[in-house]
Amino acid sequence: MNIHTIIDASFHNTQFEPIPLDSPAITYKQDRLHITPEVLSKIAEEAFVRVSYYLRPSHLGLWAEHLNGNKLSANDRLVLEALLKNALIASEGKLPLCQDTGTATILGWKEESVYTGVDDEAYLSKGVLRSYTGHPLRSSQVGFRSFFDEFDTGNNLPAQVHIEALPDSPAGPEYRFLFIAKGGGSANKTALFQMTKALLEGEAFEAFLREKVAALGTAACPPYRLAVVVGGTSPEENLSILKLATTEILDQAPTMESASQHRHESWLYRDTQWESILMNIARESGLGAQFGGSLLALDARLIRLPRHAGSCPVSIGVSCSAHRNMLAKINRQGLWLERLEQNPLEFLKQQGGAAAELAEGYQQKKKFPLSIPEHSGSTTVPPTEPLAESPILRRIHLDKGMKEALEALRGASAGDRLLLSGYLLVARDAAHLKWHEALQRGEALPDYLKQYPIYYAGPAATPEGKVIGSFGPTTAQRMDTYADELMSRGASLITLAKGNRTKTWREACKTYGGFYLGTIGGAAALIAEENILESEVLDFPELGMEAVRRIRVQDLIAFVIIDDQGRDLYNPSLLASGR
């Protein structure tokens, strides 16, 4: 069994639905499958639109299973409820699942008797362009005018396209695809380590996994679909297998238990025993689904490959809560797309338990959040009561300025829950660089930086009738370089984002009395729909989705991650001491 046999099994185990085409877009003559080039554009456009709004039943099913399992920490439950409601809002087809609608990645397997007569990449890219410019998705790709001068391409191109040639299948020639919308946050968690034979021993390998899982953090919007690949004839092969492993397409691989009996039949195996160990490691990390708990990972895949005797590449990667992958195929019978769950409301009702209760609450137009723990740090399932009635909740009003907001936060500790209402500044990487460059030129910072807390984010395009497009937090750590130069000037004293931060930012919070707050990553449609009341561009409109905005929020849930004493939710050793 080679990798293409495994991929073939995945296609056979997937439900597809036909996509209508104008005849004769696909014809079969002289033993060849002739595909009109426009079909390639159509399949790419349709795929990337669908994965932006709908999830696989397998992914929704895992969420429902964990929610119904009654073993979640209070914070895990809160996050999972948000993600499920986010999926319900996105399925209405206006606000995509995540603000980062991803790099468009297309993997194709083109059989020998398939004929298009064109540059397939060009026509597939045309479909990508139509999906990202014709729908309220986000252009995240940046080009460059010089080595350091970059610009938003405005259409999310270039796409990443990789097509392999294969012999015809017994059923006749077919063109198969895997479409992946990969967000930058989850892509950034991919890591390759050049190890040695010494790693291939039980205790050493487990220690390695514990270290690397802990290093993943929460910035890529867990709960994750976690994958580890050991071996490979090159680092490039290892990473290509990792990419596939995070998409479920290698789930039909033979298990390691059969490797000794069939070692000449396959060079790719899943090790289910180590997958169980990997899941335990994720649970025991305590990171949970973003704010502490056991739900860092929904599931895990550990793939073993052969290797050169002198090298042992090992990689780790994740697919985030926005698990956007779709199979598609073109054959004599037409154009087919994987059937995603377009009615998650009914799907969740069928799961029963807490998942069904959440779906019914959504149908009755109940506002999120649905439940809250009785006290900070609870690891028990919380009682069902409105968030506003929780005794540990702090309401923070932001309209009176930075000084008053900081006063309202004084005394709050890492782990406390907040409800934010009022004005926030929205800015991320590109804007921070511009402010840094202004300081380098001896210029003053804009006044708005000292007036409002900063929410690190870059929204998707705004759909008709909405205040803003899907809007969720981006990774905080990318802005840590600017800690001292901003906080020392009275800016960035309150920031809101996702994931852990470095010691640099933690020390700056302690020195200047700042706070770093976290909000739920992966709930971008939910935040846009329920929490944002106004939005306007203040500065740098040429930056596209990275322009500086001012938004007004209402009852936006947040957690204190780093407080003004240096206590850090993601660093338990610092929680008590404030070091």
Side-chain angles (χ1 to χ4, degrees), residues 163-174:
I163 300 171
E164 294 184 24
L166 292 178
D168 292 341
S169 58
E174 194 166 64

Side-chain angles (χ1 to χ4, degrees), residues 38 51 60 107 209 211 241 295 396:
E38 178 58 25
V51 296
L60 281 169
L107 305 181
L209 290 178
E211 176 188 344
I241 296 299
L295 197 59
I396 307 296

Side-chain angles (χ1 to χ4, degrees), residues 206 210 277-287 293-294 296:
E206 182 172 346
R210 288 188 181 279
I277 295 171
L278 186 55
M279 281 297 292
N280 284 333
I281 290 170
R283 280 190 287 268
E284 293 168 3
S285 72
L287 292 169
S294 60
L296 181 66

Side-chain angles (χ1 to χ4, degrees), residues 348-520:
L348 292 176
K349 287 182 180 180
Q350 293 169 13
Q351 308 308 304
E357 290 176 15
L358 183 141
E360 288 162 2
Y362 174 80
Q363 201 167 27
Q364 295 167 18
K365 303 299 182 185
K366 287 184 179 178
K367 283 261 183 178
F368 175 82
L370 306 178
S371 59
I372 193 72
E374 290 182 345
H375 57 86
S376 180
S378 171
T379 57
T380 60
V381 177
T384 301
E385 61 178 21
L387 176 63
E389 296 175 16
S390 169
I392 57 95
L393 184 74
R394 286 173 178 262
R395 286 188 173 272
I396 307 296
H397 297 281
L398 306 172
D399 289 336
K400 296 181 180 180
M402 181 71 74
K403 182 179 178 181
E404 287 77 6
L406 284 169
E407 284 302 316
L409 283 168
R410 298 295 177 216
S413 299
D416 284 358
R417 296 165 186 82
L418 315 169
L419 278 184
L420 306 179
S421 295
Y423 286 103
L424 290 165
L425 199 66
V426 178
R428 43 177 279 167
D429 309 58
H432 279 73
L433 179 59
K434 283 187 174 291
W435 296 328
H436 169 75
E437 290 171 343
L439 290 174
Q440 294 293 101
R441 294 191 298 267
E443 300 170 8
L445 291 172
D447 289 340
Y448 58 65
L449 263 178
K450 301 175 185 179
Q451 296 172 357
Y452 309 109
I454 302 180
Y455 189 158
Y456 302 156
T462 304
E464 185 176 353
K466 299 293 183 182
V467 172
I468 199 167
S470 288
F471 187 100
T474 197
T475 304
Q477 200 172 110
R478 298 201 305 266
M479 271 53 76
D480 283 8
T481 304
Y482 308 109
D484 192 76
E485 71 177 12
L486 292 178
M487 287 199 206
S488 65
R489 292 172 170 85
S492 288
L493 292 173
I494 303 174
T495 52
L496 178 67
K498 64 176 180 176
N500 58 300
R501 307 202 77 153
T502 61
K503 181 180 179 181
T504 299
W505 197 272
R506 187 170 64 241
E507 291 297 324
C509 282
K510 187 175 180 180
T511 300
Y512 301 106
F515 288 84
Y516 165 51
L517 314 178
T519 193
I520 298 172

Side-chain angles (χ1 to χ4, degrees), residues 4 64 71 134 225-226 247 271 278 289 302 368 393 433 453 477 567:
H4 295 114
K71 295 180 180 179
R225 312 296 292 268
L226 179 59
T247 69
D271 193 311
L278 186 55
L302 201 148
F368 175 82
L393 184 74
L433 179 59
Q477 200 172 110
R567 291 175 293 227

Side-chain angles (χ1 to χ4, degrees), residues 77-106:
R77 179 170 294 273
L78 193 67
V79 171
L80 203 49
E81 287 174 346
L83 295 178
L84 282 165
K85 188 166 184 184
N86 187 73
L88 292 170
I89 292 170
S91 70
E92 296 174 6
K94 295 181 179 180
L95 293 163
L97 289 156
C98 181
Q99 78 284 349
D100 185 353
T101 46
T103 295
T105 301
I106 304 171

